[in-house]
Each structure stands twice: as C-alpha cells, then as structure tokens.
Amino acid sequence: MAHFALIKNTIVQQVIVVGNADLTNSEGNEQEALGVAFCHSLFGTDETWIQTSYNGNFRYRYAGIGMVYNNQYDVFLLPQPYPSWTLNTETYEWDSPVPEPELTEEQKESGSYYEWNEETQEWKLTFL
C-alpha cells in the first residue's frame, strides 16, 4: 500500500491509500507516477497528488491534512506557527527566534508550559 496526498496551493487537502497493484509497473517496481495517474483517473481530475511515506522514509514526514508541501525541499511541513519563526532545513522543523527555556521539574509536575508571544518575541510561562 502507498499513500498519496492531494495538494492545493501547497496545502494538503486529503490523503488516500493506493493499492500496490495500482502503482506497480510490469517489472514489479512501484512508481509514483503510476500512483498519481491512478489518483487522476479515480477522481477524474488532473490535480496535484504527491506520494507520502507513512513511516517517514521519504519527504521527511507523513502528510496530514492542513500540512504544507514544500516543493523546494520536497518535504511535508507543519504550518509555520508564527511569522518570526524560520525553517530549519536540517530538521524541517520551525525554529523560534529565541530558544524555548527548559521547564523545571516542579513546573513540569504542575503542568506548566511555555507559550510563544509573537508581539514581544519571547516565551511566556503559563501555569495551569
């Protein structure tokens, strides 16, 4: 089985399962292009379908609805959480301008957490 993500304006709209027989060529090799052609015929459109890996073997992570496909790096990303955050092209995670402080054991036990404040560009400790 393979998984394919429908992409519109870089945003993942849907993820479907495609059977191996629908993306395997006559030599028995899986080909993404055959899976894309299957998606086109299934839905009767020529929209953008991109294969995604359930266990993250390629395109860095499994695509989910609302995620972003970055064509430049050929990866699926979580949406950018804040305008000031930058993409780390080694981890494909979004980095805040200021590293998040570590919680103390007492803070962890109380359920406290840090929340980013975009206006002040700093982390705010939130207590439950």
Side-chain angles (χ1 to χ4, degrees):
M1 275 192 273
H3 299 85
F4 283 80
L6 173 62
I7 311 297
K8 290 184 183 178
N9 298 319
T10 73
I11 308 297
V12 177
Q13 303 295 312
Q14 179 180 10
V15 180
I16 65 167
V17 177
V18 174
N20 291 340
D22 296 310
L23 65 128
T24 303
N25 65 18
S26 58
E27 288 85 41
N29 300 315
E30 289 186 4
Q31 292 186 320
E32 182 174 4
L34 292 175
V36 169
F38 174 80
C39 292
H40 288 165
S41 67
L42 180 67
F43 292 98
T45 67
D46 64 350
E47 295 177 303
T48 303
W49 289 90
I50 298 175
Q51 190 171 2
T52 184
S53 171
Y54 191 72
N55 49 15
N57 288 338
F58 54 90
R59 298 200 170 107
Y60 199 74
R61 66 175 54 84
Y62 183 71
I65 294 172
M67 292 177 75
V68 177
Y69 174 70
N70 182 298
N71 190 49
Q72 179 182 357
Y73 298 109
D74 192 28
V75 296
F76 290 102
L77 303 170
L78 295 171
Q80 184 177 11
Y82 299 96
S84 65
W85 290 34
T86 56
L87 181 62
N88 180 324
T89 57
E90 291 181 20
T91 64
Y92 297 108
E93 300 288 343
W94 294 100
D95 288 342
S96 60
V98 177
E100 182 177 355
E102 275 198 45
L103 293 168
T104 65
E105 286 303 315
E106 184 180 348
Q107 290 167 331
K108 288 178 188 177
E109 289 172 10
S110 71
S112 299
Y113 58 94
Y114 282 102
E115 212 171 7
W116 179 252
N117 184 319
E118 183 69 3
E119 190 174 304
T120 63
Q121 298 282 295
E122 60 187 11
W123 291 98
K124 176 187 166 202
L125 185 59
T126 302
F127 302 94
L128 293 180

